[in-house]
Amino acid sequence: APRLISAPRLISAPRVIPATPGSGVLTPGYVAIAGGLVTEVGEGLPPRPPDLVLDSGVLVPGFVDLQVNGYFGTELMTAGAAGWELVARRLPETGTTAFLPTFITAPLAELTVALRVAAAITAALPPAGARVLGVHLEGPFISPGRRGAHNQSWIIPPSPAAVDELLAAGSGLVSLVTLAPERDGGLAAVERLTAAGVLVSVGHSDATARQVAAAASAGARMVTHLYNAQRPLHHREPGVVGQALADPRLTSGLIADLRHVAAQACAIAFAAAPGRICLVTDAAACAGMPPGSYLLGGEPIELPPWDAEPPGAGQLPWDAEPPGAGQLPWDAEPPVRADGTLAGSALRMDAGVANMVAAGIDLATVIAAASRVPADLVGRPDLGRIAPGAAADLAWLGDDLRAAATWVRGEKVYPAR
């Protein structure tokens, strides 16, 4: 294995995927870094002897995950500074270098407190880990009929007072809000949030295609976890799914564990909406942990036992060999509520990438969906790509597409040595 120096100035790799439009795969490729930024990227032999030679796998932009409820036993909505630091420090193990902590539906007073706490925590987080890009509020302005694992008792309509209370509590930290635009006051809330610089996503919604289109006209630019907890596609009423795939103004998140969405439906989404699919994990506190009981939204969830042999200490269920056609490189069932409702996932982002490749999607397309597309959605053109002037947030994926090393701001943050 190559010696992974902390801050290499020039890296060469057998494959580099810049994830910029039209760039494809550089075979081989090289990346130059200075001051935490990419200064040069090219194909072929590097112009001078590299500091780091990767002899296998592929060098890609660090992943950007817009939906992380928790990880490594920590639920971010209820965690303190130590829990946030743990998640930020360890997410690079999965290739993720930037993320949105996600708070699902809770009583309004609890959400406002959680946002105030989060604002204080993020202001003091050390830089040696994944970047926190804000907070994603998934609720409480959703449809009771499409609530999924959300507690119906805490769902409320998006009144101007409630919207303003959350914005004020977040002190600029609220970056993304998932809501159901068909609810009374929904379109006004979309306009208010958009005016405040918040990305609005249609989700947990029973909206018709016409109502989704109206939300897009009001400023919504995203659909949360496509196919899940929303009005499905029908040939006479396209619903949320149909409008999401057909409307060029909308980009859809996709939980890439192949349990929330079948491989064929994932392939349909990528084919129908090229450049408008972004991968998310929707990871809950159970992600990266053994089977057992955890929390989501402050309420219990259960991560079922693995189908295969239990992994060794500190390991996750991952095929040792690169996945072949039709194989699943990730074999963990998602967590569930007591009634069997899916409740987040236990997915790694690098596993989600491998899943989409196994589903037949081109690797460069999948990498962009896990990096540049979500970064652009949240207004961070400096992230999610390997290009001059972009942040040197990089992930080295092995031939099995599992993260082997990760750099943030040009500094190696995984592995620790």
Side-chain angles (χ1 to χ4, degrees):
R3 183 173 63 91
L4 300 175
I5 60 178
S6 176
R9 296 184 300 276
L10 183 63
I11 305 174
S12 69
R15 292 183 293 166
V16 174
I17 299 180
T20 53
S23 60
V25 182
L26 308 181
T27 312
Y30 61 88
V31 178
I33 299 168
L37 302 176
V38 174
T39 58
E40 184 181 0
V41 57
E43 187 168 20
L45 296 177
R48 55 192 180 279
D51 301 285
L52 175 60
V53 177
L54 303 178
D55 54 8
S56 61
V58 55
L59 187 66
V60 303
F63 301 138
V64 179
D65 192 346
L66 302 185
Q67 196 167 1
V68 179
N69 307 284
Y71 225 111
F72 306 115
T74 297
E75 185 188 33
L76 290 163
M77 188 174 76
T78 58
W84 282 61
E85 289 179 17
L86 171 70
V87 173
R89 175 172 51 83
R90 293 197 59 190
L91 268 181
E93 297 174 19
T94 73
T96 296
T97 55
F99 70 109
L100 281 181
T102 300
F103 300 170
I104 73 165
T105 298
L108 186 63
E110 291 185 14
L111 285 174
T112 57
V113 170
L115 285 170
R116 293 190 186 102
V117 170
I121 290 173
T122 55
L125 275 178
R131 303 169 187 259
V132 174
L133 302 180
V135 167
H136 174 181
L137 292 179
E138 188 187 355
F141 312 128
I142 61 174
S143 166
R146 300 287 182 181
R147 66 184 182 277
H150 294 231
N151 188 319
Q152 182 168 348
S153 300
W154 301 334
I155 296 171
I156 59 175
S159 69
V163 171
D164 287 346
E165 184 174 348
L166 290 172
L167 288 175
S171 301
L173 189 66
V174 178
S175 297
L176 170 59
V177 172
T178 293
L179 55 71
E182 74 276 12
R183 299 214 60 187
D184 290 344
L187 293 182
V190 173
E191 292 174 348
R192 171 71 181 96
L193 290 164
T194 301
V198 176
L199 172 65
V200 178
S201 186
V202 176
H204 288 276
S205 168
D206 198 40
T208 64
R210 180 173 295 181
Q211 289 169 322
V212 176
S217 295
R221 294 189 293 117
M222 186 178 174
V223 170
T224 295
H225 45 52
L226 184 70
Y227 299 112
N228 297 119
Q230 57 199 228
R231 183 186 287 261
L233 173 67
H234 186 275
H235 57 283
R236 284 191 293 272
E237 171 44 67
V240 177
V241 172
Q243 190 65 29
L245 295 177
D247 195 325
R249 299 171 294 180
L250 295 171
T251 297
S252 295
L254 186 67
I255 303 173
D257 63 355
L258 298 181
R259 298 299 204 273
H260 281 78
V261 182
Q264 298 94 324
C266 292
I268 288 170
F270 274 95
R276 295 190 291 112
I277 301 296
C278 72
L279 301 191
V280 298
T281 61
D282 197 14
C286 57
M289 300 297 288
S293 298
Y294 300 90
L295 293 177
L296 176 63
E299 298 186 305
I301 57 174
E302 189 76 19
L303 182 63
W306 290 306
D307 292 337
E309 288 295 316
Q315 293 180 320
L316 292 172
W318 183 288
D319 289 343
E321 297 297 323
Q327 289 182 311
L328 302 183
W330 178 265
D331 210 20
E333 293 292 334
V336 293
R337 294 288 195 204
D339 63 359
T341 301
L342 295 184
S345 86
L347 180 66
R348 299 168 56 107
M349 185 63 94
D350 52 1
V353 166
N355 282 339
M356 293 300 93
V357 171
I361 314 303
D362 170 73
L363 177 60
T365 298
V366 175
I367 294 299
S371 56
R372 174 178 54 81
V373 174
D376 286 350
L377 263 179
V378 292
R380 293 298 302 265
D382 58 321
L383 302 179
R385 69 207 73 209
I386 304 177
D393 293 4
L394 309 170
W396 173 33
L397 307 183
D399 289 331
D400 60 357
L401 299 180
R402 184 166 186 164
T406 309
W407 294 263
V408 175
R409 302 175 180 89
E411 296 286 340
K412 180 170 65 68
V413 294
Y414 172 73
R417 296 182 180 178

